[in-house]
Amino acid sequence: MTNALSHAYKRLFDRSGVIICLTLVAVLISGVGAVQFSSDYKAYFGKGNPELRAFEAFEARYSQGDGILIVLQPPETVFTDSNLHSIAGLTDRAWQTPHSTRIDSITNFQHIESDGDTLVVSAVLEDPESPVPLDSEVIKTKTLGEPLLVNRLISPDGKTTGIYITLVLPGEEHGGHLSESVAYVRELVGEFREEKRDWKVAVTGLALFAAAEVEVTQNDLVRLAPIMIAVIAVLLLVCLRSYVAVAQILVIVLLSTASVLGLSGWFDILLNPTSAISIVVVMTLAVADCVHIILTYQDRFNGEPPSRDRVMACMKLNFEAISLTSLTTALGFLALNFSDSPPFHDLGNLAAAGVMVAWLLSILLLPAMMSLSNVSARVVIPADRQVMSSLAEFVIRHSKTILIAVGLSSLVIISAVPHLELDDRYVEWFDSSVGFRVDTDFATSELTGPYMLEIDIDSGEPGGVAEPEFLRFVQDLENFGVNHPKILHVDGYASLQKKLNRAMNGGGEDDYTIPTTRELSAQYLLLYEMSLPYGLDITNRISLSKSAVRASFTLIPASQSEIALTVTELESWIAQHKPTRVKATVTGTILMFVHLAERNIKSMLVGTGLAFGFIAILMMIVLRDWRLGLLSLVPNVIPVAVTFGLWSLTVGYVGIIASIITATTLGLIVDDTIHLITKYARAKERDNLSTHEAVMETFAHVGKALWVTSMVLAAGFFVLSFSSFRLNQEMGVMTAITLVVALILDFLLLPAMLMMFHRDSKCRCRVCQSRCRGEQLTVEAGTR
């Protein structure tokens, strides 16, 4: 610290530091009562996201909203008198779902038939309470012969069926409305399960996806936070050997975490599985500064009674380094504001704020606690420093060999990165312990796929959907979907017009064609609309102005690359075949998520680049040595690349987390480098040591602190692997791997690089002259 800064800090430390900290924390924590959770999956997309805007325009045009699919599988077949009545009864009760606008099932599907010259539109079971016996075989034939139902609401074998509830939730912040709808359906399904204990029943759909987000968020916070605190406490106790020291660190951790939670309440930041994990992240990050301060005290004053002067001496040695590391860590997380996904903004901002709160508590509250209680280790192990000195000696002796070995091995691992696939399907964000995932997997295997592409087809004029040329294009588009290997089910307007034409012309198969004139098509549609019962109109398939229709393609389970290829093929076909005036837009939730990772990677390249550049400039300014600054950057670039290489070799694919992991880990892994480099530079400048002596000195005094903080951070982030949310799992494991790799490189590669490229010519010791080949070092480590 400079003299002026030292004096100012001492005054603050002596007079008002604790009061400032406790007041700030109290104000922040008071916001905890306003914490809210988000159940809107659209929160992952910024307001300017083109896929989101296209999808919202589609929803507005067709009065479409999120849905709930109830999947039913009786013991043998759907088509018995009793089972059909049960399905019809459940369909009828589903109409009571809050905010529901439409209920679709096989029992209320409106079949189109003809009776002479009369158009007959009716369901197979109009009244669930009717005592009239059903002809199950006729119903089975009619249902399984309807392409709009098979692979959507009835399985081809007739053993599984579904009831689809369409919801339109009022307002933008509709979390309460959604939970109301989901709660009703779950209660309804629970009652049905009690009545039909031998049936398999599952509940899925986008509304359940949104509800699962809230549930997973709350569950992770309740479940992971105690695990992380326990892991941190045990590791710290083993490393610091002081109950008092561990207790003081946990106070800083808990206050920092509570402050961040309160901060989210103050600024109305809605927590979802991604943003809420910042709470757990801060628990881990708050440890690092405390460990460096306490280990410095134990290194210099272990066994001596606590005093303000001794604590102040520790702070003078650590203030610059912990301030710089806190700043760089915060910068890494703030780079997430360049992400295309708002929850990552919230994660970055909350984590950065938590880091700075932890820094403030570490430099003001922790010293005050240390001056009042003894944080000395109960058991002192002299071998700790000897191990670090031996490691330093080994690295110095074999710097050239280590440089080559580490460099080549890193390049080999990094070469696997191009083979890493991007795969991000939102259903698989949840692991198999989450009910939504289990039910969705069951629905996918037994009935229909969870991912759907929607095509909004605009004729370009009011009433244009009746134009034969337009209908032929829609028909060809539907045929493209039917024949595509990745598309399971097609629901389109052309097939409706062909059924109407057949019914109005005697019911012959030769008349299953597009009406020959615009007038006929319009008349058939009008007759059909007049025949539909309330709640089952076709405004969900056709715009009010009759200018546009939708085609829905349900996809078979496929990887993100396969889905992206299908979309490309679909858009290419549309561009080649559509009439001039027709505009067809491919949209859908899966399309939004497919593009999300790609957009994030592109946007985060800018954010990460800026953060890296700023950290590099900051390092050079602080170290006042551009060569040393540049050397310090190398071990901070390689770890993330090595992690991606290892991930490619072991897992093979990664999701949206790939776009942020570089930014989030950059601020973390640079911390160890800063502590090593600042101590090394101080040893050379202040103590006038040679390069190898400075390396020995650095390892002896900060080596233990580095591996303790790195192991605690790695273990803390690894706890995220127990999350039920895949994004958090991947972030935790990849960050833990990166931290371990970075520690190895800081202990091996960085000192080797210093010996090779930062040796001072004035040094005439045997080490520097002989390049440390086989000679015994004479420098005693730790004497300064």
Side-chain angles (χ1 to χ4, degrees), residues 744-765:
I744 294 171
L745 294 182
D746 278 329
F747 277 159
L748 297 180
L749 183 62
L750 181 57
M753 290 174 61
L754 292 174
M755 292 301 302
M756 292 292 294
F757 305 116
H758 201 257
R759 287 190 306 123
D760 39 357
S761 58
K762 67 179 181 180
C763 183
R764 299 299 178 185
C765 71

Short mmCIF file of all heavy atoms in Angstrom, two decimals, residues 744-765:
data_model
loop_
_atom_site.label_atom_id
_atom_site.label_comp_id
_atom_site.label_asym_id
_atom_site.label_seq_id
_atom_site.Cartn_x
_atom_site.Cartn_y
_atom_site.Cartn_z
N ILE A 744 -2.47 -25.77 -11.46
CA ILE A 744 -1.32 -26.55 -11.93
C ILE A 744 -0.41 -25.70 -12.81
O ILE A 744 0.82 -25.72 -12.67
CB ILE A 744 -1.81 -27.80 -12.70
CG1 ILE A 744 -2.54 -28.75 -11.74
CG2 ILE A 744 -0.65 -28.51 -13.37
CD1 ILE A 744 -3.23 -29.91 -12.44
N LEU A 745 -1.01 -24.94 -13.70
CA LEU A 745 -0.22 -24.09 -14.59
C LEU A 745 0.48 -22.97 -13.82
O LEU A 745 1.61 -22.59 -14.15
CB LEU A 745 -1.11 -23.51 -15.69
CG LEU A 745 -1.70 -24.51 -16.69
CD1 LEU A 745 -2.51 -23.78 -17.75
CD2 LEU A 745 -0.59 -25.33 -17.35
N ASP A 746 -0.20 -22.43 -12.81
CA ASP A 746 0.43 -21.38 -12.01
C ASP A 746 1.62 -21.91 -11.23
O ASP A 746 2.61 -21.19 -10.99
CB ASP A 746 -0.59 -20.75 -11.05
CG ASP A 746 -1.45 -19.70 -11.73
OD1 ASP A 746 -0.95 -19.04 -12.66
OD2 ASP A 746 -2.61 -19.54 -11.33
N PHE A 747 1.54 -23.16 -10.80
CA PHE A 747 2.64 -23.75 -10.04
C PHE A 747 3.76 -24.30 -10.93
O PHE A 747 4.89 -24.47 -10.47
CB PHE A 747 2.13 -24.87 -9.14
CG PHE A 747 1.56 -24.37 -7.82
CD1 PHE A 747 0.68 -25.15 -7.10
CD2 PHE A 747 1.93 -23.14 -7.31
CE1 PHE A 747 0.17 -24.70 -5.88
CE2 PHE A 747 1.42 -22.68 -6.10
CZ PHE A 747 0.54 -23.46 -5.39
N LEU A 748 3.43 -24.61 -12.17
CA LEU A 748 4.44 -25.21 -13.06
C LEU A 748 4.83 -24.28 -14.21
O LEU A 748 5.99 -23.93 -14.38
CB LEU A 748 3.92 -26.54 -13.62
CG LEU A 748 3.64 -27.66 -12.61
CD1 LEU A 748 3.13 -28.90 -13.33
CD2 LEU A 748 4.89 -27.99 -11.82
N LEU A 749 3.83 -23.88 -14.98
CA LEU A 749 4.13 -23.13 -16.20
C LEU A 749 4.61 -21.71 -15.91
O LEU A 749 5.60 -21.24 -16.49
CB LEU A 749 2.89 -23.09 -17.10
CG LEU A 749 3.07 -22.39 -18.45
CD1 LEU A 749 4.11 -23.13 -19.29
CD2 LEU A 749 1.74 -22.33 -19.19
N LEU A 750 3.92 -20.99 -15.01
CA LEU A 750 4.28 -19.59 -14.76
C LEU A 750 5.70 -19.43 -14.23
O LEU A 750 6.48 -18.64 -14.79
CB LEU A 750 3.27 -18.96 -13.81
CG LEU A 750 3.51 -17.48 -13.47
CD1 LEU A 750 3.54 -16.63 -14.73
CD2 LEU A 750 2.44 -16.97 -12.51
N PRO A 751 6.11 -20.16 -13.17
CA PRO A 751 7.50 -20.01 -12.72
C PRO A 751 8.52 -20.46 -13.76
O PRO A 751 9.61 -19.88 -13.86
CB PRO A 751 7.57 -20.86 -11.45
CG PRO A 751 6.38 -21.75 -11.50
CD PRO A 751 5.33 -21.03 -12.27
N ALA A 752 8.16 -21.49 -14.53
CA ALA A 752 9.07 -21.92 -15.59
C ALA A 752 9.25 -20.82 -16.63
O ALA A 752 10.36 -20.59 -17.13
CB ALA A 752 8.53 -23.19 -16.25
N MET A 753 8.17 -20.14 -16.96
CA MET A 753 8.24 -19.03 -17.91
C MET A 753 9.06 -17.88 -17.33
O MET A 753 9.84 -17.22 -18.05
CB MET A 753 6.83 -18.55 -18.27
CG MET A 753 6.05 -19.53 -19.12
SD MET A 753 4.35 -19.00 -19.37
CE MET A 753 4.60 -17.46 -20.22
N LEU A 754 8.91 -17.63 -16.04
CA LEU A 754 9.69 -16.57 -15.41
C LEU A 754 11.18 -16.90 -15.46
O LEU A 754 12.02 -16.02 -15.72
CB LEU A 754 9.24 -16.38 -13.96
CG LEU A 754 7.84 -15.80 -13.74
CD1 LEU A 754 7.48 -15.83 -12.26
CD2 LEU A 754 7.73 -14.39 -14.29
N MET A 755 11.52 -18.15 -15.22
CA MET A 755 12.92 -18.55 -15.27
C MET A 755 13.47 -18.49 -16.67
O MET A 755 14.66 -18.18 -16.88
CB MET A 755 13.07 -19.99 -14.72
CG MET A 755 12.80 -20.13 -13.24
SD MET A 755 13.89 -19.11 -12.22
CE MET A 755 15.50 -19.70 -12.72
N MET A 756 12.62 -18.75 -17.67
CA MET A 756 13.11 -18.76 -19.05
C MET A 756 13.14 -17.37 -19.67
O MET A 756 14.05 -17.03 -20.42
CB MET A 756 12.20 -19.66 -19.89
CG MET A 756 12.29 -21.14 -19.56
SD MET A 756 13.89 -21.85 -19.99
CE MET A 756 13.86 -21.72 -21.78
N PHE A 757 12.13 -16.55 -19.35
CA PHE A 757 11.97 -15.29 -20.09
C PHE A 757 12.07 -14.03 -19.22
O PHE A 757 11.99 -12.93 -19.75
CB PHE A 757 10.61 -15.29 -20.80
CG PHE A 757 10.40 -16.47 -21.69
CD1 PHE A 757 9.40 -17.40 -21.42
CD2 PHE A 757 11.21 -16.68 -22.80
CE1 PHE A 757 9.21 -18.49 -22.25
CE2 PHE A 757 11.02 -17.78 -23.63
CZ PHE A 757 10.02 -18.69 -23.36
N HIS A 758 12.21 -14.20 -17.91
CA HIS A 758 12.28 -13.01 -17.05
C HIS A 758 13.50 -13.05 -16.15
O HIS A 758 13.54 -12.42 -15.09
CB HIS A 758 11.00 -12.90 -16.21
CG HIS A 758 10.73 -11.51 -15.70
ND1 HIS A 758 10.98 -11.14 -14.41
CD2 HIS A 758 10.28 -10.40 -16.33
CE1 HIS A 758 10.66 -9.86 -14.23
NE2 HIS A 758 10.23 -9.39 -15.39
N ARG A 759 14.54 -13.80 -16.55
CA ARG A 759 15.76 -13.85 -15.74
C ARG A 759 16.51 -12.54 -15.88
O ARG A 759 16.59 -11.97 -16.97
CB ARG A 759 16.66 -15.01 -16.19
CG ARG A 759 16.16 -16.37 -15.77
CD ARG A 759 17.20 -17.44 -16.01
NE ARG A 759 17.66 -17.41 -17.39
CZ ARG A 759 18.92 -17.26 -17.75
NH1 ARG A 759 19.85 -17.07 -16.82
NH2 ARG A 759 19.27 -17.28 -19.02
N ASP A 760 17.03 -12.08 -14.79
CA ASP A 760 17.81 -10.84 -14.84
C ASP A 760 19.28 -11.16 -15.09
O ASP A 760 19.83 -12.10 -14.52
CB ASP A 760 17.65 -10.04 -13.55
CG ASP A 760 17.62 -10.92 -12.32
OD1 ASP A 760 17.67 -12.17 -12.48
OD2 ASP A 760 17.55 -10.38 -11.23
N SER A 761 19.90 -10.39 -15.93
CA SER A 761 21.29 -10.65 -16.31
C SER A 761 22.27 -10.44 -15.16
O SER A 761 23.37 -10.98 -15.17
CB SER A 761 21.67 -9.72 -17.47
OG SER A 761 21.49 -8.37 -17.11
N LYS A 762 21.85 -9.67 -14.14
CA LYS A 762 22.77 -9.38 -13.03
C LYS A 762 23.00 -10.60 -12.14
O LYS A 762 23.95 -10.66 -11.39
CB LYS A 762 22.23 -8.23 -12.19
CG LYS A 762 20.95 -8.57 -11.44
CD LYS A 762 20.47 -7.40 -10.59
CE LYS A 762 19.20 -7.78 -9.83
NZ LYS A 762 18.71 -6.66 -9.01
N CYS A 763 22.06 -11.56 -12.20
CA CYS A 763 22.16 -12.70 -11.30
C CYS A 763 23.29 -13.63 -11.75
O CYS A 763 23.27 -14.12 -12.88
CB CYS A 763 20.84 -13.46 -11.24
SG CYS A 763 20.87 -14.84 -10.08
N ARG A 764 24.24 -13.92 -10.89
CA ARG A 764 25.38 -14.77 -11.21
C ARG A 764 25.38 -16.06 -10.40
O ARG A 764 26.40 -16.74 -10.33
CB ARG A 764 26.69 -14.02 -10.94
CG ARG A 764 26.84 -12.76 -11.77
CD ARG A 764 26.84 -13.06 -13.25
NE ARG A 764 26.95 -11.84 -14.05
CZ ARG A 764 26.87 -11.83 -15.37
NH1 ARG A 764 26.69 -12.96 -16.02
NH2 ARG A 764 26.97 -10.69 -16.03
N CYS A 765 24.22 -16.36 -9.78
CA CYS A 765 24.18 -17.58 -8.95
C CYS A 765 24.27 -18.82 -9.81
O CYS A 765 24.02 -18.79 -11.02
CB CYS A 765 22.92 -17.61 -8.10
SG CYS A 765 21.42 -17.90 -9.07
#
